Amino acid sequence: LTLPNVTVSTQNFMLGSYNINEIGNITIPLVQTIQNFQFGNYSLVKQGVLNTTTALTNIDNAWYECRNLREIVLTQCSNVTVVGQAFFGTTSLEKLILPGLRIGFNIAQSTLSATALNDLFTSLGTASGSQTITITGNPGAPTCNTSIATSKGFTVII
């Protein structure tokens, strides 16, 4: 799915689409906000790569309570300034890639392995000031390499 002319927001884009199990790659090069993108979509198991650009600034609540979603991969997050509760309730998450993200977030109680957490940390940019990443309750939290994130200026809470 390519949405080349959507410029400001995909807010509530899939709200109410609870019977969608899988979505392919989505290209939204001009979008600034993906707030509530898949908010509460309990059926969603797989979402393809979300092709974003430096226009993206807000992902608040984007995947809130997507309990069965296993992967979230964005291509550009360097200008994101609002994460909020983007990943709250993503309890089946096995992969999360946020290239260039410079602000903290919470992915507590998900299912990320140590390798997945290391890949996530590697994808991040340098923290913008004092930023915290909470990974409590992920199976890989005790054995992941938090120094990948801390060397970029993040504080990691296990």
Side-chain angles (χ1 to χ4, degrees):
L1 177 62
T2 300
L3 304 170
N5 298 318
V6 175
T7 56
V8 178
S9 175
T10 59
Q11 188 168 355
N12 301 324
F13 180 67
M14 299 303 287
L15 187 61
S17 301
Y18 298 119
N19 293 321
I20 295 175
N21 295 41
E22 186 172 330
I23 299 172
N25 295 345
I26 301 172
T27 300
I28 47 175
L30 302 177
V31 166
Q32 298 169 8
T33 300
I34 56 173
Q35 186 174 9
N36 299 336
F37 187 65
Q38 294 292 342
F39 187 97
N41 190 339
Y42 303 141
S43 299
L44 187 62
V45 174
K46 184 174 183 192
Q47 173 182 293
V49 174
L50 195 54
N51 295 299
T52 55
T53 66
T54 56
L56 184 63
T57 60
N58 184 337
I59 61 173
D60 187 22
N61 291 331
W63 299 274
Y64 186 95
E65 289 288 344
C66 289
R67 297 177 186 162
N68 295 306
L69 184 58
R70 292 187 214 133
E71 292 186 9
I72 299 171
V73 177
L74 280 75
T75 57
Q76 177 59 260
C77 296
S78 62
N79 287 333
V80 171
T81 57
V82 180
V83 172
Q85 294 191 37
F87 313 110
F88 180 84
T90 54
T91 54
S92 297
L93 199 58
E94 299 171 351
K95 181 177 183 177
L96 179 61
I97 302 295
L98 304 168
L101 186 69
R102 301 165 22 104
I103 62 173
F105 54 93
N106 184 338
I107 51 167
Q109 307 307 321
S110 203
T111 55
L112 294 162
S113 67
T115 299
L117 288 166
N118 293 344
D119 291 344
L120 167 61
F121 298 154
T122 299
S123 76
L124 301 174
T126 300
S128 177
S130 178
Q131 301 294 330
T132 301
I133 302 169
T134 302
I135 61 172
T136 308
N138 281 274
T143 58
C144 69
N145 184 356
T146 59
S147 69
I148 300 169
T150 59
S151 70
K152 295 179 179 191
F154 290 92
T155 298
V156 179
I157 299 175
I158 298 176

